[in-house]
Amino acid sequence: MDRGTDPLSRMPAVAPLLLADVLDRLPARLQRRLEERRDLARDWTWSAAAGEVVVSTGTAVVRVRPASGVVREPDQAACDCLLAPRCLHVAAVLLALPISVDDAGPAGRPPQPASEAADDQVPVSAAARAAAGAAWQACALLLDIGATSAGLVVQGELLRAAHACRLAGLHRTASAVARAVQRLAELHAGRPEYRLDFLLGDVSDALTSALAVATAGEAVSRSAVGVARRAYATVGSLRLAGIFSEAVMSAAGYAGVVTYLADAEGRLWTVADVAPGGPERVAWAYGAPIEVGDLALSHRGLGRSGVYLQRATGSRDGRLGTGRDVGAVRSGASGWDGGVPWERPPAAQLDAVFAALALDQTLRRSGWDLLFLDGVVVGVRQAALVLSTPVGEVSCYAPTDHEELPYRRNLRLLGSAPGLPLRVVGRALTQRPRSLALLAVGPGAAAEEAPALALPSDWLGRANLGVDVLQSAHVAGGERGPVELPVQPAAAAPDPLDPLARRLGQALTGGRVTQAESAWADIDRDAALLRRRQLPGAADRLEALRAASLRGVPDARRRFALAWTATRTYHVAARNRLSRTSWG
């Protein structure tokens, strides 16, 4: 099966510094034209052949020749028009490419060994402090004028800051700034994948990590610095049991399957086959052989098998190396009966999930947000399958809205059997109370006269909900349709922190002016509402943000950025605390 037929889904990434340089040298009149139509190149004809991407504009042809999937040098993007290389065509094409968030270029630092821990102290060099300061200033400028007003010049400053941070080894800040620029491109182009909460997270991550480095003494924690991705080290021999396989479809056009395996200590490891493509690539990856050392198994088989590895390699986040030097032997089938992940108490699992939220993404281990629970089906409430579990009722949602994947259909079928005992794996949705993105299910402890999950024998006691299609015959004793539950008033209650979240989003989108004197009466009402909800700390942060919006005072931009960062930090901590408390 084709791994994806859309040429745009196979686009290479562009290095931040190259994109910044190309935008800087573009003549002013062409910059204005590109500002007006950020997605200009999307209307041109794209094709891929012989290791290059060819873009035909109708009057010119741009050829992009990436190295290892990334365009880093000016001569890797060439146009045949008379204005090249300072032409609109090259700039528009590079602006349409995804930004490489992990690329330092040939001069970049080598990745750190996988043995470094999140609480390591990292020396802060003068170059790192200067790069962090530049990133802080660039993000403070973005906050001051607002995302909707952040044109190509501001984005160029952010891209240069990202490159400087990458060269200085500040991987967390560099990645966050590069992701923020990608979100800005989505916003200005009006793309449907744009999400304000993603931009909020990236900008606050960049500001927080940059400030930690810029104000540190001689050393700073590894979590503030981050690590380079895909740093593999030898981990020796591993005896692993396949747990489940997850279907992956990203807004960036990547698709495939990730399989999770557990070792004897309960640590999770992953093997992935994710590449550019659409829904058809998920099915292809699930059934196609993937090599783990000298062993070739499909993801369908790997997630249901025991595997013994010798000379195994792995990254700090739990990704297994699949090189030919690894010795691998299949050691029979793996089951969920007495599975190590389910032996850990739910409260301990939840504590670990919420503790990991404070870490940089590169320091979180694979499966850090997974919960392994036993429960009984109650029914369906709106879009959620409701389970009764040892930690109370849990709402289980489909991880993605893609209709091509069977998540939703499978959940509704399970919802037709109240009383059905299940053993489940789901991803904790930390921004929703008592919620999971349900990934896989298996039969729970049998109960007399209760419905039962009767899966095909070759599924070995589990259904991967994004790739395995459940049939009504698999749910013995179910009703003819999902059993709908009434909507609970508590579930429809507003987020108590909503006034704070709203103001943070307004400030980032529209800039400091949105919190200025004309909005103070509304801000005071929001602060009073937060106090009535017994959230005086949130009210204090909102009032501090208002005070920092004053115009005409010295260092106003820095004051506002500091207040916004502190308010966002409080909001994230309070939201996570409320979410954890909701689980009991």
Side-chain angles (χ1 to χ4, degrees):
M1 182 179 292
D2 185 10
R3 294 187 177 215
T5 57
D6 181 5
L8 288 179
S9 70
R10 293 192 290 270
M11 289 193 298
V14 59
L17 183 61
L18 174 62
L19 181 56
D21 286 343
V22 169
L23 294 177
D24 278 354
R25 68 172 182 248
L26 196 65
R29 62 181 180 83
L30 297 182
Q31 270 198 13
R32 288 193 296 271
R33 184 176 172 189
L34 198 54
E35 289 274 18
E36 294 169 358
R37 290 198 60 193
R38 295 292 185 91
D39 260 8
L40 179 64
R42 295 264 170 161
D43 295 334
W44 297 339
T45 303
W46 294 65
S47 59
E52 68 177 12
V53 176
V54 180
V55 185
S56 176
T57 72
T59 58
V61 175
V62 179
R63 297 183 181 276
V64 180
R65 301 180 180 89
S68 302
V70 180
V71 184
R72 300 186 182 93
E73 302 297 335
D75 59 3
Q76 290 178 288
C79 181
D80 62 4
C81 77
L82 295 177
L83 294 179
R86 300 177 62 199
C87 67
L88 179 69
H89 309 121
V90 169
V93 167
L94 293 182
L95 195 61
L97 300 181
I99 296 169
S100 174
V101 298
D102 297 309
D103 182 68
R109 291 188 172 193
Q112 291 86 358
S115 60
E116 290 177 346
D119 56 357
D120 283 348
Q121 292 293 303
V122 181
V124 178
S125 65
R129 203 180 301 277
W136 164 265
Q137 293 294 340
C139 290
L141 172 61
L142 171 63
L143 268 176
D144 193 51
I145 65 175
T148 55
S149 300
L152 296 177
V153 173
V154 175
Q155 292 181 42
E157 289 299 314
L158 290 165
L159 289 167
R160 290 185 185 281
H163 180 74
C165 287
R166 183 68 64 193
L167 291 181
L170 303 181
H171 305 288
R172 179 173 186 172
T173 307
S175 295
V177 173
R179 291 195 307 269
V181 176
Q182 191 72 58
R183 313 294 186 204
L184 290 173
E186 294 167 358
L187 168 65
H188 286 272
R191 296 177 196 162
E193 60 264 33
Y194 170 73
R195 291 271 301 276
L196 174 59
D197 54 339
F198 289 169
L199 181 61
L200 278 165
D202 294 333
V203 173
S204 65
D205 195 18
L207 283 166
T208 303
S209 56
L211 186 63
V213 175
T215 59
E218 295 182 354
V220 70
S221 71
R222 167 65 62 189
S223 184
V225 172
V227 296
R229 290 185 182 273
R230 301 191 183 280
Y232 289 89
T234 301
V235 294
S237 299
L238 290 174
R239 192 174 296 277
L240 303 172
I243 304 296
F244 74 101
S245 298
E246 177 185 5
V248 174
M249 279 192 65
S250 75
Y254 287 81
V257 174
V258 178
T259 292
Y260 289 79
L261 306 97
D263 62 20
E265 299 175 1
R267 292 180 303 175
L268 294 178
W269 300 85
T270 59
V271 176
D273 182 0
V274 179
E280 73 284 348
R281 197 185 182 282
V282 174
W284 183 91
Y286 190 48
I290 184 168
E291 293 185 355
V292 181
D294 50 9
L295 177 67
L297 278 176
S298 67
H299 279 278
R300 180 186 287 109
L302 183 62
R304 295 176 166 96
S305 298
V307 178
Y308 178 66
L309 301 181
Q310 291 181 313
R311 303 179 301 280
T313 60
S315 65
R316 69 170 61 248
D317 62 0
R319 283 174 291 188
L320 286 172
T322 56
R324 294 188 178 275
D325 291 338
V326 178
V329 178
R330 185 176 183 273
S331 55
S334 64
W336 280 12
D337 295 334
V340 172
W342 283 272
E343 294 175 356
R344 194 178 185 192
Q349 295 184 51
L350 285 162
D351 289 342
V353 167
F354 283 91
L357 288 172
L359 299 176
D360 176 40
Q361 295 178 16
T362 58
L363 294 173
R364 297 173 186 166
R365 191 170 182 85
S366 297
W368 67 272
D369 54 353
L370 294 180
L371 294 178
F372 299 83
L373 301 174
D374 290 297
V376 176
V377 171
V378 179
V380 172
R381 180 175 293 122
Q382 296 179 316
L385 173 71
V386 180
L387 298 181
S388 175
T389 75
V391 290
E393 276 198 0
V394 177
S395 298
C396 302
Y397 295 89
T400 175
D401 293 331
H402 286 284
E403 290 294 336
E404 299 90 342
L405 301 181
Y407 280 118
R408 284 188 171 184
R409 298 190 298 276
N410 285 339
L411 261 61
R412 292 190 69 80
L413 180 59
L414 293 170
S416 69
L420 174 68
L422 292 176
R423 172 160 279 192
V424 305
V425 184
R427 179 164 287 113
L429 301 177
T430 56
Q431 297 188 31
R432 292 186 183 182
R434 308 177 70 83
S435 298
L436 288 179
L438 200 60
L439 301 172
V441 301
E448 189 175 350
E449 298 184 1
L453 190 62
L455 300 176
S457 59
D458 59 343
W459 288 13
L460 296 175
R462 78 212 69 179
N464 299 310
L465 297 177
V467 279
D468 296 329
V469 179
L470 292 173
Q471 306 293 335
S472 56
H474 297 155
V475 183
E479 304 291 338
R480 299 188 65 177
V483 177
E484 301 283 351
L485 301 174
V487 178
Q488 295 179 337
D495 175 8
L497 291 165
D498 175 68
L500 195 63
R502 221 174 348 97
R503 293 294 170 184
L504 285 166
Q506 287 175 354
L508 177 56
T509 302
R512 179 160 52 103
V513 67
T514 62
Q515 311 302 305
E517 290 90 334
S518 60
W520 282 8
D522 290 337
I523 293 174
D524 287 341
R525 280 193 289 271
D526 284 343
L529 176 60
L530 289 168
R531 286 196 167 89
R532 288 197 298 273
R533 292 176 176 176
Q534 306 302 312
L535 293 168
D540 291 344
R541 291 307 335 151
L542 190 56
E543 290 169 346
L545 185 65
R546 183 200 68 175
S549 69
L550 277 172
R551 291 173 291 182
V553 298
D555 212 10
R557 180 181 297 170
R558 178 178 175 276
R559 283 162 46 91
F560 187 71
L562 285 170
W564 188 92
T565 304
T567 304
R568 169 68 182 180
T569 301
Y570 172 91
H571 175 253
V572 171
R575 182 189 65 199
N576 292 343
R577 179 65 179 272
L578 289 172
S579 181
R580 175 64 186 92
T581 303
S582 75
W583 287 88

